[in-house]
Amino acid sequence: MLIWSARAYVQYGAYLALFLVAMRRGAAPERTLASIILGMIVVDRIYHLVRGPDLLLYQGVDLVHLAIDTFSLLAIGAVALKANRFYPLWIGGAQIIAFSSHFYRLGIVEIHTTAYQVMAIMPSYVQLLAMALGLGFHMRRQKKLGNYPSWRKSYVPSSASGAKRLRAA
């Protein structure tokens, strides 16, 4: 039971450890994602320390958590679309679930509180696992291949393919 009651702090510690490893051994996508996730935790902790049990609710939805999840979704989504990695898509997908949980709560008044909390909280465990695996695979790949591109290059058609397209039109 002690571990269950301390699970959030164990998770915070794991994210802090991942953040420190990402800052030391990760490339730009790892550092950015670790910073976003740790930032989510810091803002959430500050919110709960300042407000205590008096949350900013609208029809059962915590507006501050909605704001945190919205900004995080946008930031994680930007990294996931530009990073030359696959795992940020998993982190982004989990963030979509957490973000959607707030609208699910708004749409269904009679939703059980536990179901809402599971949809809002469980994705963070998926993100933790994806971040840990992604960071581990990055470090292994970097050791094997050396430095490799962190970001995808935008698709720019060559002049030859552009000329073919113009003639076809």
Side-chain angles (χ1 to χ4, degrees):
M1 270 308 163
L2 179 63
I3 291 176
W4 183 253
S5 62
R7 75 187 185 294
Y9 296 105
V10 170
Q11 185 181 19
Y12 299 157
Y15 273 125
L16 180 60
L18 281 174
F19 173 80
L20 295 173
V21 172
M23 291 300 129
R24 178 140 169 80
R25 304 276 312 270
E30 288 76 25
R31 291 191 303 267
T32 304
L33 286 170
S35 298
I36 292 167
I37 293 170
L38 190 62
M40 290 169 51
I41 293 169
V42 169
V43 170
D44 177 69
R45 293 289 73 208
I46 291 170
Y47 165 59
H48 287 287
L49 285 172
V50 170
R51 296 293 297 196
D54 185 29
L55 305 177
L56 295 173
L57 297 176
Y58 173 75
Q59 293 186 356
V61 174
D62 189 324
L63 297 177
V64 175
H65 286 163
L66 174 59
I68 292 169
D69 286 338
T70 301
F71 288 120
S72 300
L73 176 62
L74 294 172
I76 291 169
V79 172
L81 292 175
K82 292 290 286 178
N84 187 25
R85 320 268 195 273
F86 185 71
Y87 79 91
L89 295 171
W90 283 87
I91 295 172
Q95 190 60 35
I96 289 171
I97 294 169
F99 173 76
S100 301
S101 70
H102 304 293
F103 296 98
Y104 187 70
R105 175 73 172 131
L106 277 174
I108 302 174
V109 178
E110 295 301 319
I111 185 174
H112 194 277
T113 305
T114 304
Y116 172 53
Q117 290 174 343
V118 166
M119 280 184 70
I121 295 169
M122 287 305 289
S124 68
Y125 292 101
V126 173
Q127 291 173 325
L128 178 65
L129 179 63
M131 186 72 206
L133 290 173
L135 184 57
F137 286 133
H138 162 72
M139 291 186 314
R140 188 180 75 173
R141 195 173 325 124
Q142 193 171 37
K143 188 175 184 178
K144 184 177 180 180
L145 303 174
N147 287 336
Y148 61 98
S150 293
W151 306 107
R152 299 172 204 235
K153 296 189 185 332
S154 297
Y155 173 72
V156 179
S158 67
S159 59
S161 65
K164 288 179 188 175
R165 215 180 11 229
L166 288 175
R167 278 182 274 169

